[in-house]
Amino acid sequence: MSYYIGVWEGPAPLSNAHATSEFQRRMAERSQAEATPGLRHFVETLLAVHPDIDLPEGEDGPWADAPLLHCIDGSTAYLPIRPGRVDEVADLIKRHIDGQELVAFDPQAKALVPSATAVARTSEFELPSADELPLHLRAVLREAVRAGRPLAGVLEQVSTEFYIQWLVRDGRLTIEAQGDGVLRPELRLSGPARSQMHELGFTESEPNWRIRWPDGESHIDEGAILLGRVLSEVRALPVGEPMRLQTFPV
């Protein structure tokens, strides 16, 4: 049985879970569309290393079907791989995907290539509604807590550089919201907003507001809700506000 890795054109997903949803959507909407120039060029780059298996020089290669260019559907490629050659192809994709607006995803492992918890990643997106935001943040926090390594995340409002951040280390989850010290006067919290931060459980400390849980696993949902409320209620950011998410091992 062959193995697949999906590669598509588009913005970087926020998490492995977000990538899983996007891959499933693309699978459901397959239409045998003509390959986009960018994705065709990417697959041709892979073929320059490992030619199609129906060619003499490619018969010992990692691909499980040929021609590989026929495995592209519009802006998505579904690359079939022989058993035992998956890590080899994943490494090849990692080497050639840098600097391109391409996403690589392993649907069997339900993880990005490389995984969202293994390397530094940056995603830009528009702020969703207050109801939807915690769903995305919950996926990011869950992956961080369960990664088995120290991980940090910074969620930044692009226009003002205001940020909220989190750190997972040894099972502990710490969430911080930027304090007023380095913010422009018009961005600093009002009295009622400061009271709301205290009501949410944050401690005012230098340089950031902070809340910490010794058992991060038990507070993933609560953490996601708090992060969302800081943005949508305390900071009152509008739906559609440009945001940047950075996650990285520490």
Side-chain angles (χ1 to χ4, degrees):
M1 182 175 67
S2 61
Y3 201 100
Y4 286 83
I5 288 181
V7 179
W8 66 81
E9 294 178 325
L14 304 182
S15 63
N16 291 331
H18 185 196
T20 300
S21 297
E22 176 63 14
F23 179 78
Q24 291 172 344
R25 182 190 70 79
R26 288 172 177 266
M27 285 287 291
E29 297 177 358
R30 292 180 73 165
S31 60
Q32 297 183 328
E34 183 177 351
T36 61
L39 203 54
R40 183 181 182 89
H41 174 73
F42 177 74
V43 173
E44 287 174 343
T45 300
L46 302 183
L47 287 170
V49 180
H50 293 296
D52 277 320
I53 59 170
D54 58 353
L55 299 176
E57 61 271 31
E59 59 185 12
D60 293 326
W63 312 121
D65 197 4
L68 199 64
L69 287 171
H70 286 184
C71 297
I72 305 175
D73 179 24
S75 62
T76 307
Y78 304 88
L79 305 177
I81 306 166
R82 286 174 168 172
R85 307 292 293 274
V86 176
D87 290 344
E88 177 185 352
V89 172
D91 288 341
L92 177 65
I93 289 173
K94 291 174 194 176
R95 290 200 304 271
H96 291 283
I97 209 170
D98 284 348
Q100 304 187 57
E101 290 191 0
L102 294 174
V103 177
F105 177 74
D106 180 340
Q108 289 81 195
K110 296 184 178 179
L112 289 156
V113 179
S115 172
T117 62
V119 298
R121 297 184 61 86
T122 299
S123 305
E124 296 193 356
F125 64 101
E126 294 182 350
L127 193 70
S129 69
D131 292 333
E132 296 176 359
L133 180 58
L135 299 178
H136 297 291
L137 295 175
R138 186 177 295 117
V140 174
L141 288 181
R142 181 179 294 114
E143 290 175 6
V145 169
R146 298 178 181 178
R149 62 171 66 90
L151 285 170
V154 180
L155 182 54
E156 180 183 49
Q157 182 185 9
V158 174
S159 61
T160 67
E161 298 183 352
F162 167 79
Y163 64 81
I164 53 178
Q165 62 186 18
W166 54 89
L167 171 66
V168 177
R169 188 190 299 273
D170 298 327
R172 300 187 303 271
L173 172 60
T174 301
I175 292 178
E176 296 184 349
Q178 187 177 21
D180 287 341
V182 297
L183 291 173
R184 301 194 302 271
E186 66 271 19
L187 298 176
R188 294 172 186 170
L189 293 179
S190 64
R194 300 178 77 84
S195 297
Q196 189 172 14
M197 289 293 287
H198 286 297
E199 291 169 2
L200 291 175
F202 284 90
T203 299
E204 193 170 357
S205 57
E206 291 295 336
N208 296 327
W209 294 82
R210 179 180 299 158
I211 188 168
R212 177 176 293 158
W213 294 290
D215 180 11
E217 179 73 31
S218 299
H219 292 87
I220 292 171
D221 289 350
E222 184 177 356
I225 291 170
L226 284 178
L227 288 168
R229 292 186 66 182
V230 169
L231 295 176
S232 63
E233 297 178 14
V234 179
R235 306 302 306 191
L237 301 186
V239 172
E241 180 72 15
M243 305 294 294
R244 181 182 297 114
L245 173 64
Q246 301 175 73
T247 57
F248 46 91
V250 293

